[in-house]
Amino acid sequence: MGWSMESVSFRMSGSGSWQNLLPDESSRRQYSEIYPLGAPLPTRSGPLLKLFLLWKQAAIVRFENEKVIPLGPIMTDSDLTILQPWFQDISSFMGQTVMERLDDYQALARTLAEKTFSSKQASDNILTILICALTLDSWVFSLLRRYLFGTYPPRDFAGTFFFWGYAFAQGPRRIFGFTTYNGLEEGQLHMIRSHRLDRRAIKETLRQRSTWDYLDFLIFNQDKNGNFLSKLNERDDILKKTAPALQKVGLLTWDDPPRLAVPFFDQDLSGTISGLCRKTAGRITDYFISKREEIDFLRKKCSFAECSPPDVLCLLFHLAYSYATDHLVEKGAIPDFPKSAGGEWGVWIS
């Protein structure tokens, strides 16, 4: 991974941005330097005290006995060694639970792919979305927030999110999550992101307002089989000029006229998908919760013993399902993650 306390990779889950709290290299280095033992609270006003007060407002540090104590956990190689038995146990259970329903996942992926893009690549892509993004991440996370983690912590002006960091050289290879974009009039676009995955081209395209206008047009003007209900008229020149950029990054097909190239799960399909994902996620959630005492015991030996428990649990969960994904790739249950990708992999609309 190449991470260390000199180059911590900070992460979050929720809304807002951790970069509002750690906006530059200096502030990130400062947080790393006070972790985990804390530092003396400055006795005079100045930039450092101002920064610490900002962090206190956002609950990523606390003040105690004239010291500033970090509350956001950072996973180190030493922590991974301590937690390795727990990670092995929980990730193996996650992987085995998915494997027991693999035939159902594969059948559903083929069915969904046949509705628009009947190909093995499309089926494999949907399989990865169903297992990794929707089951291991989204559904389990939703249940854990309800029954264990609690709601997203408020971070003052920065947003509401769980906060943590990575500072290890060894660990799961496929550390991932997904970003949800709210640029559509109806529904949302979701995209898997991963440490080793280059998504620069599609992210740049998604920054353009014209991209969302074109996607809205297709969603409102195609039936469930991708056939057009109406076509762009002559005055829609801006949308027509947008199409090549969207085709290049895999959001549109190269048909004439272009069609939506990413899976679109409407309400009917979302119900079918949820029925499968929820059952698997429920078993995983129950098992995760059953290990709470073990987590509490091991946490006391780690660098983040004094950190916020919900943030620690969120950190552990994200690494656990990443380890599980490594196992599933090694077993051939899902294809490996690509090194770079556009809309052809790990992107969907719901």
Side-chain angles (χ1 to χ4, degrees), residues 299-347:
R299 180 173 64 86
K300 294 175 183 177
K301 301 180 179 182
C302 294
S303 68
F304 38 78
E306 300 300 320
C307 291
S308 167
D311 291 320
V312 171
L313 290 169
C314 190
L315 160 62
L316 296 178
F317 162 68
H318 278 80
L319 288 181
Y321 76 62
S322 295
Y323 274 118
T325 299
D326 284 351
H327 298 330
L328 290 169
V329 170
E330 290 162 8
K331 290 177 179 291
I334 56 175
D336 201 354
F337 286 19
K339 293 182 179 179
S340 64
E344 75 281 356
W345 186 88
V347 180

Side-chain angles (χ1 to χ4, degrees), residues 37-306:
L37 299 178
L41 195 61
T43 56
R44 297 181 180 179
S45 61
L48 187 56
L49 179 59
K50 184 178 180 181
L51 183 63
F52 287 162
L53 288 169
L54 182 75
W55 290 349
K56 182 177 183 291
Q57 285 180 283
I60 66 170
V61 302
R62 74 174 189 272
F63 294 172
E64 181 179 312
N65 298 325
E66 304 302 319
K67 289 185 66 177
V68 54
I69 307 295
L71 295 175
I74 298 177
M75 182 70 73
T76 67
D77 282 307
S78 296
D79 297 327
L80 283 179
T81 299
I82 293 168
L83 292 161
Q84 193 57 43
W86 181 85
F87 277 126
Q88 179 61 41
D89 176 54
I90 194 72
S91 63
S92 294
F93 185 86
M94 287 177 166
Q96 183 58 40
T97 304
V98 168
M99 291 297 293
E100 290 172 3
R101 302 298 299 271
L102 184 59
D103 289 346
D104 296 330
Y105 278 105
Q106 291 173 333
L108 180 57
R110 287 193 297 269
T111 298
L112 295 174
E114 287 169 359
K115 289 182 177 295
T116 48
F117 316 106
S118 185
S119 69
K120 187 176 187 308
Q121 179 183 351
S123 180
D124 284 347
N125 174 42
I126 293 176
L127 182 66
T128 298
I129 292 170
L130 292 176
I131 291 176
C132 296
L134 296 182
T135 299
L136 294 179
D137 187 350
S138 182
W139 262 101
V140 177
F141 192 33
S142 176
L143 293 173
L144 285 174
R145 291 200 312 276
R146 182 185 305 174
Y147 298 115
L148 185 61
F149 299 173
T151 57
Y152 292 108
R155 305 295 183 187
D156 200 60
F157 72 94
T160 55
F161 52 84
F162 296 101
F163 171 75
W164 69 94
Y166 300 143
F168 49 78
Q170 304 297 323
R173 293 188 60 225
R174 298 162 188 85
I175 296 175
F176 73 95
F178 67 86
T179 299
T180 294
Y181 295 83
N182 295 306
L184 298 171
E185 289 186 30
E186 291 189 9
Q188 298 169 316
L189 183 143
H190 316 272
M191 183 169 69
I192 296 176
R193 48 180 174 69
S194 181
H195 172 58
R196 288 189 171 93
L197 177 59
D198 179 3
R199 284 212 180 271
R200 285 173 292 182
I202 189 171
K203 287 197 293 185
E204 179 60 34
T205 302
L206 292 174
R207 294 189 184 104
Q208 309 302 316
R209 179 64 250 177
S210 57
T211 295
W212 300 103
D213 291 339
Y214 203 118
L215 294 178
D216 277 327
F217 171 81
L218 291 185
I219 290 171
F220 285 117
N221 289 281
Q222 290 188 42
D223 62 22
K224 292 184 178 181
N225 297 315
N227 299 315
F228 274 92
L229 301 175
S230 64
K231 297 183 179 181
L232 288 169
N233 57 42
E234 291 301 321
R235 72 174 185 273
D236 294 316
D237 290 334
I238 295 178
L239 290 186
K240 290 178 182 178
K241 292 177 181 178
T242 301
L246 274 60
Q247 289 171 317
K248 188 175 181 180
V249 297
L251 290 171
L252 302 183
T253 68
W254 291 94
D255 299 323
D256 185 18
R259 296 186 300 148
L260 193 65
V262 302
F264 176 42
F265 304 143
D266 60 21
Q267 288 188 344
D268 292 338
L269 293 178
S270 294
T272 302
I273 292 167
S274 296
L276 175 58
C277 297
R278 182 172 56 244
K279 292 177 182 178
T280 306
R283 287 191 60 201
I284 292 171
T285 301
D286 289 343
Y287 194 76
F288 194 104
I289 293 174
S290 75
K291 298 294 181 177
R292 178 61 192 270
E293 288 188 7
E294 183 179 348
I295 294 173
D296 289 341
F297 174 77
L298 293 172
R299 180 173 64 86
K300 294 175 183 177
K301 301 180 179 182
C302 294
S303 68
F304 38 78
E306 300 300 320

Side-chain angles (χ1 to χ4, degrees), residues 4-17:
S4 67
M5 291 308 296
E6 286 73 43
S7 60
V8 178
S9 176
F10 290 101
R11 304 296 175 99
M12 59 162 279
S13 180
S15 60
S17 175

